[in-house]
Amino acid sequence: MDQITLPAFRMPFPATGGNPHQEEAGLRMWAWAEAFGLCTSPGVRRRMLRTRSELWCALTDPTAGPGPLALRCQWTFWAFVVDDAFDDDGCGQDLARSRAAIDELTGVVNGVRRPTSPAALALADLWRRTRAGRSSSWRRAFRADVTGWLWTYWREAVERAAGHTPLPEDYLTHRRHSIGMGMFLDLFETPPAIDLPEHLRRLPALLALRGAVVDHIALYNDICSARKEGAAGYYHNAVFVLRHHRGGTVQQAVTEVDALRAACVERAVSAEEQLPAQLAAAGATRPIRAAVQLYAGHHRSLLRGDFEYHARAERYRPDPEAPPAPGPPPGPDVFTPRPRPYRPGTGAAA
């Protein structure tokens, strides 16, 4: 694979400064992950130590209190473990395993499946605690975002099995869901409780802001992950999709993806500027306007914090101890059912 030099990224938003509760939330996160057995091998544990989920949460949610930040860290840890199980541990290479895993996880969040695997048991615990006190509208939105993200792994597994590389425009639409940011934006509506009315959650400017932030995170992640994913033979990445269809070098594709990423920042700024007029036109009350503006501010902190995280986490650099290519894990993985009823310890009750 061609050598990749990361661009000199332009980011006009100031740094968030992080969250003072990062260390405490990180300890609670690891206790919870241990209680549910999410690190199924030394390799998974090493990968999660390199990931530093608590750093991502502290940078993207700098004002959260200890409890909400710990819950957010646990969701993030779980999502990274699931993502790695599909991308790095062989589940995404096996259509039957992929479908079975997705069926179990989506069944848990939709309340129609009893969890048996570590990933599903952890999800059931997260969903039980997160949905408490939330409106039916918020619950529907969150379930849709989680299930929509999970089914993107099935699409990628099918495309790999069929030897198909999606068109750039199709991939970018797919990537908005496969990056999994919808659920994390939804979590910004938990304490301090925002829980927006559904019609205001659908304001054009708010939808445009959400789309711009999610697209930025997706494209930036693809650029930063290109070296690692290219070495592993994983090509569901904007850099490799563009190169496949348009030719040229990997570096030229990186430059093109970065131009798309930079445009997302301008889209986010424009969308946020349109919010006040749209709130007034929709007849929003003063408290609702304040809640929407707070929610919009969370979008900005998510974009800026994620930008800094990628530069600091080891996850986006090749791991010299990792195997050269993805393949089935040697033993039980996070989707393997437990042989007996599982009762997590005190670490689960964060």
Side-chain angles (χ1 to χ4, degrees), residues 278-295:
Q278 292 190 10
L279 286 167
T285 63
R286 182 173 296 180
I288 290 295
R289 291 188 196 190
V292 171
Q293 294 289 3
L294 176 61
Y295 186 50

Side-chain angles (χ1 to χ4, degrees), residues 181-242:
M181 283 299 109
M183 72 179 91
F184 293 102
L185 283 167
D186 295 335
L187 288 173
F188 280 127
E189 291 192 57
T190 55
I194 296 174
D195 211 342
L196 303 177
E198 187 161 1
H199 68 286
L200 292 181
R201 198 181 291 127
R202 296 175 183 273
L203 278 178
L206 202 53
L207 292 175
L209 175 61
R210 182 185 181 99
V213 168
V214 171
D215 288 349
H216 183 281
I217 292 172
L219 293 169
Y220 183 53
N221 177 271
D222 279 3
I223 295 171
C224 294
S225 301
R227 287 180 291 192
K228 177 175 74 77
E229 292 179 348
Y234 178 83
Y235 288 95
H236 272 86
N237 179 302
V239 172
F240 302 122
V241 169
L242 286 179

Side-chain angles (χ1 to χ4, degrees), residues 11-325:
M11 172 51 63
F13 298 152
T16 63
N19 189 303
H21 305 297
Q22 175 184 329
E23 183 176 359
E24 176 186 348
L27 291 173
R28 293 172 67 174
M29 174 192 75
W30 273 102
W32 174 85
E34 294 284 356
F36 282 94
L38 289 177
C39 290
T40 54
S41 72
V44 172
R45 176 180 296 279
R46 172 176 170 76
R47 199 158 55 210
M48 292 309 299
L49 287 169
R50 286 168 53 87
T51 295
R52 298 182 68 193
S53 300
E54 71 283 6
L55 173 63
W56 185 81
C57 293
L59 291 170
T60 59
D61 198 357
T63 62
L69 186 67
L71 179 61
R72 194 174 185 85
C73 287
Q74 291 161 14
W75 272 109
T76 305
F77 193 105
W78 174 83
F80 273 126
V81 166
V82 169
D83 182 69
D84 289 344
F86 282 105
D87 291 350
D88 299 326
D89 293 337
C91 187
Q93 312 297 321
D94 185 321
L95 290 177
R97 286 180 62 205
S98 177
R99 181 177 173 183
I102 294 167
D103 280 344
E104 182 184 28
L105 296 178
T106 56
V108 168
V109 80
N110 286 313
V112 297
R113 182 77 175 263
R114 182 179 179 182
T116 59
S117 68
L121 287 160
L123 174 60
D125 175 71
L126 288 171
W127 182 225
R128 174 185 59 79
R129 291 185 286 131
T130 303
R131 69 177 184 262
R134 311 313 298 162
S135 68
S136 59
S137 171
W138 184 90
R139 294 184 186 192
R140 284 195 303 271
F142 190 85
R143 283 197 302 267
D145 285 327
V146 173
T147 57
W149 166 63
L150 289 168
W151 279 112
T152 64
Y153 293 107
W154 170 251
R155 170 177 173 162
E156 293 184 7
V158 170
E159 288 181 334
R160 282 194 294 268
H164 172 70
T165 301
L167 293 171
E169 55 270 27
D170 292 336
Y171 173 78
L172 293 176
T173 300
H174 162 78
R175 191 67 175 116
R176 182 174 286 188
H177 299 286
S178 70
I179 191 63
M181 283 299 109
M183 72 179 91
F184 293 102
L185 283 167
D186 295 335
L187 288 173
F188 280 127
E189 291 192 57
T190 55
I194 296 174
D195 211 342
L196 303 177
E198 187 161 1
H199 68 286
L200 292 181
R201 198 181 291 127
R202 296 175 183 273
L203 278 178
L206 202 53
L207 292 175
L209 175 61
R210 182 185 181 99
V213 168
V214 171
D215 288 349
H216 183 281
I217 292 172
L219 293 169
Y220 183 53
N221 177 271
D222 279 3
I223 295 171
C224 294
S225 301
R227 287 180 291 192
K228 177 175 74 77
E229 292 179 348
Y234 178 83
Y235 288 95
H236 272 86
N237 179 302
V239 172
F240 302 122
V241 169
L242 286 179
R243 188 195 186 199
H244 175 84
H245 287 287
R246 300 179 185 176
T249 66
V250 173
Q251 190 64 48
Q252 288 170 331
V254 166
T255 301
E256 187 171 354
V257 174
D258 186 50
L260 296 173
R261 177 208 64 83
C264 293
V265 178
E266 305 306 321
R267 287 166 48 201
V269 170
S270 176
E272 196 166 0
E273 289 174 346
Q274 296 170 30
L275 262 180
Q278 292 190 10
L279 286 167
T285 63
R286 182 173 296 180
I288 290 295
R289 291 188 196 190
V292 171
Q293 294 289 3
L294 176 61
Y295 186 50
H298 285 315
H299 284 64
R300 195 186 318 113
S301 66
L302 179 65
L303 188 156
R304 184 57 178 86
D306 176 81
F307 179 81
E308 184 173 347
Y309 165 76
H310 278 71
R312 294 173 58 178
E314 290 182 284
R315 178 179 178 86
Y316 300 101
R317 295 189 287 273
D319 184 352
E321 298 185 22

